[in-house]
Amino acid sequence: MIESDEEQGRNLSRLVVARAGRLVTTGDAGEPYRVVGPDGAVVEPVSVFLRDLLASGKSELTLRSYSVDLLRWWRFLDAIDVQWNRASRAEARDFSCWIQLTAKQRLQTSRPRAARLSSRVPGAPNPVTGKPASGDGYAPSTVAHSETVLRRFYDFHRDCGTGPVLNPFPLDASRRRGRPHAHHNPMDEWRPERTGRYRPTVPKRIPRAIPDGWFNKLFASLGSDRDRALVAFWISTGARASELLGMRQCDFKPGEQLISVVRKGTRAVQQLPASADAFVWHRLYQQELLRARVPGGRRQPAWWTLRRPYRPLSYHGAHRMFERVNASLGADWTLHDLRHSAASRMARDSELSLTDVRWVMGHAHLTTTEIYLTKTRDEVIEGVLAHHARQSRAREAPPPQPAPGYDPQSLSVLFGRPS
């Protein structure tokens, strides 16, 4: 009996989900994450690759995302019974097809979830934000990131002489020759020069800023001075969520209206100007910390949990706080949308140059900052509706009357208008 492609995909998903490989957090600065295979042993090729990334200055968040992609690939290889150093382009092609069809699977710590294929049908847009709900499959950006990680993994082992000579995830044939960006014009946008053969097309998304009216409602729904201070700093500085959450007590300079953050990519310390309101809310939050007897000191973390035992506030804790506020409004904005909102406000200020906005946001290229000049959905809809209203008024308006002393019939003959 010949199985259909859909049935083969379901069977493969069941095999992948049933594998016991997992990601382990070690807490060791030299090796923060380990990928454990189905036999319970640490996957040494992945560990060597991750240690090389750590030596090159990659952050722990980058190592975690790389580990998740490699764990997914290892489960797939174990399901089809192929060794990692024996994988060919046929396995890479099948994996690229499978990951675009299967439903997302969370990191499994106990019982695996049921395997199924993705419907690839996005949910209804949110009535407040207009964002389409994410489907049950992997996003194109996730698939593209996975392809890049696996290509770099095999490039690393090929250069070390420990992997196959031919990379299972090659570059596209039109991208293999020449140095990338060899003849780039600084006035043009940066084109993707290192596109892989099995890399899907990632749609360009316009950053969604929170409208001022909805931001005021969101800010009024915050339940503590800590949350108000966090949101006020995010909306006024444009810092990333992890950058602001990593601050210490000594990183605030209220007299100069400056804060110091460690940039995500370069790991450089940069001072950012913030609004006066943000420092007012932060001062109120400091009074709460003193009353709660939270450990103080210049080197102590700036943000703490609200309940005992007091711990430094993590990204997931701040994310859950923002989710609860969104639920009260029926919205689905994210912490990163606050960064988009800050960039949009600054980019549209005629008194602020775009190069200044690029410096504050920490963008590597000015073309990245230019996307915030694009009008939002609400602005475009409002402009088009105003256009339709002007057209209606123009059709209904009576024709202009001639000045006194002119004969209307003579003017009609002169201009060729019907009398």
Side-chain angles (χ1 to χ4, degrees):
M1 179 178 176
I2 300 178
E3 295 180 340
S4 63
D5 293 341
E6 185 175 357
E7 186 63 28
Q8 291 178 357
R10 287 198 182 93
N11 292 335
L12 183 57
S13 296
R14 295 189 187 99
L15 289 174
V16 173
V17 170
R19 300 307 168 183
R22 64 188 187 277
L23 182 64
V24 177
T25 303
T26 64
D28 185 5
E31 192 176 1
Y33 298 101
R34 291 178 181 174
V35 174
V36 178
D39 55 353
V42 177
V43 182
E44 191 60 27
V46 175
S47 298
V48 173
F49 177 62
L50 294 179
R51 285 195 293 267
D52 185 78
L53 291 176
L54 188 64
S56 63
K58 301 298 183 183
S59 65
E60 288 193 12
L61 293 176
T62 301
L63 294 179
R64 186 182 187 279
S65 65
Y66 276 48
S67 301
V68 172
D69 291 329
L70 290 168
L71 174 62
R72 191 184 300 117
W73 170 244
W74 236 257
R75 286 173 173 170
F76 179 84
L77 291 177
D78 187 67
I80 61 177
D81 197 17
V82 175
Q83 297 294 324
W84 74 273
N85 53 0
R86 297 290 183 180
S88 63
R89 294 182 181 178
E91 284 76 29
R93 177 200 60 203
D94 295 340
F95 174 79
S96 301
C97 294
W98 169 79
I99 194 175
Q100 296 180 63
L101 292 175
T102 189
K104 288 184 290 188
Q105 296 294 332
R106 305 295 181 186
L107 286 179
Q108 299 163 6
T109 57
S110 56
R111 180 180 299 177
R113 294 177 58 190
R116 57 191 176 88
L117 293 183
S118 170
S119 61
R120 291 209 249 180
V121 178
N126 186 277
V128 176
T129 64
K131 291 183 179 181
S134 58
D136 52 359
Y138 290 101
S141 57
T142 303
V143 180
H145 184 269
S146 176
E147 189 272 341
T148 301
V149 170
L150 295 176
R151 174 154 41 87
R152 291 181 179 178
F153 171 77
Y154 278 100
D155 281 343
F156 168 77
H157 282 284
R158 180 198 59 198
D159 296 340
C160 294
T162 55
V165 177
L166 294 178
N167 194 326
F169 295 87
L171 291 173
D172 189 77
S174 60
R175 307 288 187 179
R176 294 180 195 172
R177 296 181 180 179
R179 181 169 60 88
H181 308 296
H183 304 286
H184 174 71
N185 186 347
M187 301 301 294
D188 297 335
E189 296 184 359
W190 292 85
R191 297 186 304 166
E193 295 285 349
R194 307 296 290 179
T195 303
R197 173 180 291 184
Y198 304 121
R199 184 183 181 89
T201 301
V202 179
K204 291 185 178 181
R205 296 178 297 179
I206 299 176
R208 290 183 180 270
I210 305 177
D212 293 342
W214 278 106
F215 175 78
N216 295 335
K217 295 180 181 179
L218 185 146
F219 194 84
S221 302
L222 297 173
S224 66
D225 292 334
R226 183 205 65 180
D227 300 342
R228 297 184 190 98
L230 276 169
V231 173
F233 277 117
W234 273 319
I235 199 66
S236 62
T237 63
R240 296 177 179 88
S242 58
E243 294 173 350
L244 194 65
L245 293 173
M247 293 178 60
R248 301 166 298 174
Q249 297 289 352
C250 60
D251 292 330
F252 296 89
K253 293 185 177 180
E256 304 175 22
Q257 283 190 224
L258 295 175
I259 63 173
S260 299
V261 298
V262 179
R263 282 304 186 184
K264 176 184 176 182
T266 61
R267 312 305 299 170
V269 178
Q270 181 178 344
Q271 289 186 330
L272 299 176
S275 65
D277 292 341
F279 285 100
V280 171
W281 289 114
H282 179 253
R283 182 58 180 168
L284 294 174
Y285 172 57
Q286 285 182 320
Q287 296 297 323
E288 290 184 357
L289 294 180
L290 290 175
R291 290 193 296 268
R293 299 183 182 275
V294 175
R298 290 176 52 81
R299 299 293 177 180
Q300 291 293 334
W303 311 102
W304 296 79
T305 57
L306 299 177
R307 297 179 178 86
R308 295 178 183 272
Y310 297 115
R311 299 181 302 273
L313 182 64
S314 64
Y315 174 84
H316 296 288
H319 178 70
R320 285 295 301 150
M321 174 273 295
F322 207 67
E323 277 189 337
R324 289 192 292 269
V325 177
N326 274 295
S328 64
L329 299 177
D332 60 350
W333 285 300
T334 63
L335 293 176
H336 204 69
D337 288 336
L338 294 172
R339 174 175 166 86
H340 293 323
S341 303
S344 299
R345 290 182 178 185
M346 289 185 287
R348 297 181 186 185
D349 188 349
S350 59
E351 302 296 328
L352 198 61
S353 66
L354 201 61
T355 54
D356 294 340
V357 181
R358 185 197 68 81
W359 182 86
V360 172
M361 301 302 295
H363 293 153
H365 307 293
L366 191 62
T367 52
T368 306
T369 315
E370 289 177 349
I371 63 177
Y372 293 101
L373 297 175
T374 306
K375 291 187 176 181
T376 62
R377 181 203 64 169
D378 296 335
E379 292 174 340
V380 173
I381 292 176
E382 184 180 357
V384 174
L385 292 178
H387 162 74
H388 293 321
R390 290 192 298 269
Q391 293 293 321
S392 299
R393 289 194 299 268
R395 288 193 299 266
E396 296 173 357
Q401 299 297 323
Y406 288 93
D407 185 7
Q409 294 183 355
S410 300
L411 291 177
S412 300
V413 173
L414 178 61
F415 293 107
R417 294 196 297 262
S419 56

